[in-house]
Amino acid sequence: MQTGRRADFLPSYWAGLTDRPMFYSRDLAHQMLGGHLLGLDTENLAMLRHFAASATERRGWYPLWAFLFDGTPAAIDYHDDDDFVREIPAPFELVEKAVEQYRWTRDERFLRTPEISSFIRTTLTSFVQAHDPLGTGVAGERGSGQIFQGTATYNEVEHPPHLLVAADGIASQWAAHAALAGVAADAALDPEFARWNAERATALETEFAEGWWLAEHEHYTAGFTREGPVSGFGLESTWFPAVKGLMRPGDRGTAHLDFLSACLEKSPPHNIEAFTYLPEAYLRYGRDEEALRWIRFLAESRADYPEVPFTHVAHIATGLTGLSVGPRDGDVRTRSHIPADAWLEVDQIAAGTSTIGVRHEGHEASELWVTAGSGVTWTSTWPDGRTTRVDVPVGGRVRVTADGDTTATPLRK
């Protein structure tokens, strides 16, 4: 953490290669949930706000790619307003993560701070209009393949033909719209804007499902050039539709994940950062063994790239527990993703205005307790899709079993 190390430093933490004392938009987006779980909400807000303020009309509504800890643009990635690193998924991810942080903290500054509020709206309107190479409403770039001119994908080792729109781009764009659509219930967002986002999310999901599937290859395309769809393994553009949950469950989603798994065996990424996304991709579609494999791989790597430890915290505390927060404060959900003969326990998790703990014993029993703040309504999902819904008061602990038994006890003092 860099907060307070120098008087001119922003509240911040390292989010980039360890030889670069900076924070990057892509890295920050992926580290923010782990940052929250580690108590770094002030830092998350300050860095997000700084990126949001940097997205100007002169820069095509792109946020800058990286900042030094004092808030100045990182010269390695920024030469001038026409010559800086920019990749289509990043602004959409920052919008999605602003909503995610709001849900986990219930701090409206993540949505209502003027810089962030403006950034959210311009990203989903002006940014898309300025970067729509195919005229389909899917944001993309000109296909130069040069990150200083703008690329459609996070895949920086992309080979020609370079994509105009990419699957990681549409997945991130959809996720931003879907996240905003989901906060209408608590009036944190203008209801009309929320409804518009819901409509756009539906349209993008339909566009992807109907127009991006390659039947002859049995997987989704990595993206499009002017000549049409591109097949083959595209690293981020192959796994992001799963990471974000854009793929509809079913045979196509299963086939695409099978394709991803086969490609990872044949051509694994060269950088450790890439692997940090894989647990999310597999957990989201219930492929728990594959997710756990990559979680263990990352832990055993002992890599000091910040994304590895930050995402590891999230993979354990929220990924394997299936812990998530709903649209309303006090709505929490879990689903065990651990092996049947294992157990996992996490505690002191800040979930909205509550502090909670969760324990899973295989797929047979789960417990949730509230140590501070407000009571919660807990929905536990079992492997067969059944749910158990119970209220857990502050100072209370509830145990539910797959057989349907529910036991409530007070916490020991």
Side-chain angles (χ1 to χ4, degrees):
M1 188 171 70
Q2 301 303 308
T3 308
R5 293 192 64 183
R6 271 182 23 190
D8 59 339
F9 275 11
L10 296 173
S12 56
Y13 52 77
W14 218 292
L17 292 167
T18 53
D19 62 351
R20 297 183 183 183
M22 310 166 191
F23 54 91
Y24 281 74
S25 57
R26 172 179 176 168
D27 300 66
L28 175 64
H30 204 198
Q31 292 177 212
M32 285 181 81
L33 179 54
H36 164 71
L37 296 168
L38 293 167
L40 299 175
D41 296 333
T42 298
E43 288 73 17
N44 278 341
L45 180 61
M47 291 187 287
L48 175 64
R49 183 176 180 178
H50 209 66
F51 279 116
S54 74
T56 64
E57 183 175 9
R58 178 69 182 83
R59 294 166 179 160
W61 304 112
Y62 270 108
L64 293 188
W65 192 240
F67 290 99
L68 303 179
F69 296 126
D70 65 1
T72 58
I76 191 173
D77 295 297
Y78 173 81
H79 303 152
D80 59 46
D81 282 354
D82 296 309
D83 190 21
F84 64 97
V85 176
R86 50 206 134 141
E87 298 171 9
I88 283 292
F92 295 119
E93 282 214 281
L94 291 176
V95 170
E96 177 201 1
K97 299 305 179 178
V99 177
E100 179 184 74
Q101 290 301 300
Y102 163 70
R103 282 194 167 185
W104 278 97
T105 64
R106 311 310 294 189
D107 184 345
E108 292 192 354
R109 291 179 297 173
F110 280 102
L111 297 181
R112 294 186 180 275
T113 297
E115 298 93 332
I116 297 175
S117 177
S118 176
F119 172 70
I120 288 172
R121 286 183 174 271
T122 57
T123 296
L124 297 177
T125 55
S126 302
F127 177 80
V128 175
Q129 293 162 11
H131 305 280
D132 184 5
L134 297 180
T136 60
V138 178
E141 271 295 350
R142 293 166 291 178
S144 71
Q146 301 297 315
I147 59 176
F148 276 84
Q149 296 178 30
T151 62
T153 175
Y154 275 152
N155 180 3
E156 294 179 356
V157 295
E158 179 193 15
H159 300 294
H162 297 296
L163 301 175
L164 297 179
V165 293
D168 48 334
I170 190 175
S172 298
Q173 185 177 348
W174 170 82
H177 283 296
L180 287 163
V183 296
D186 56 15
L189 203 68
D190 170 53
E192 184 177 345
F193 186 54
R195 282 193 293 273
W196 176 79
N197 276 284
E199 293 169 359
R200 288 299 302 141
T202 299
L204 288 169
E205 180 186 353
T206 301
E207 159 76 11
F208 184 78
E210 297 179 356
W212 292 58
W213 175 251
L214 301 176
E216 67 275 27
H217 298 286
E218 295 191 330
H219 64 81
Y220 289 101
T221 178
F224 289 79
T225 66
R226 293 205 180 276
E227 286 67 44
V230 173
S231 63
F233 184 38
L235 296 173
E236 288 88 347
S237 54
T238 297
W239 60 66
F240 255 63
V243 171
K244 298 302 183 184
L246 175 57
M247 300 188 309
R248 294 172 177 170
D251 292 343
R252 288 184 177 184
T254 298
H256 186 83
L257 287 169
D258 289 343
F259 168 70
L260 171 60
S261 297
C263 290
L264 289 169
E265 294 298 328
K266 295 177 183 177
S267 304
H270 296 294
N271 59 320
I272 193 68
E273 174 191 28
F275 292 97
T276 61
Y277 294 94
L278 300 181
E280 299 169 59
Y282 288 111
L283 284 170
R284 192 176 291 277
Y285 290 87
R287 293 172 66 139
D288 298 346
E289 290 185 8
E290 288 174 278
L292 189 56
R293 172 197 172 183
W294 294 115
I295 290 172
R296 287 171 171 157
F297 170 83
L298 288 160
E300 292 166 0
S301 75
R302 311 298 293 177
D304 59 2
Y305 198 121
E307 271 186 272
V308 174
F310 271 82
T311 57
H312 188 69
V313 169
H315 292 154
I316 300 299
T318 64
L320 291 179
T321 64
L323 176 61
S324 64
V325 289
R328 297 184 183 277
D329 190 22
D331 177 11
V332 298
R333 304 160 188 182
T334 64
R335 180 197 181 283
S336 174
H337 291 277
I338 63 175
D341 60 350
W343 64 270
L344 174 64
E345 181 172 312
V346 298
D347 201 2
Q348 297 299 301
I349 303 295
T353 58
S354 307
T355 303
I356 66 174
V358 175
R359 178 183 173 90
H360 290 309
E361 296 170 8
H363 304 146
E364 299 303 314
S366 296
E367 298 180 44
L368 187 140
W369 55 95
V370 183
T371 56
S374 307
V376 304
T377 299
W378 169 35
T379 302
S380 175
T381 299
W382 304 99
D384 61 4
R386 289 180 301 113
T387 61
T388 303
R389 185 179 175 89
V390 294
D391 291 327
V392 186
V394 180
R397 182 178 187 127
V398 174
R399 177 183 176 88
V400 297
T401 70
D403 295 330
D405 294 333
T406 300
T407 306
T409 58
L411 286 174
R412 296 176 181 176
K413 295 183 179 180

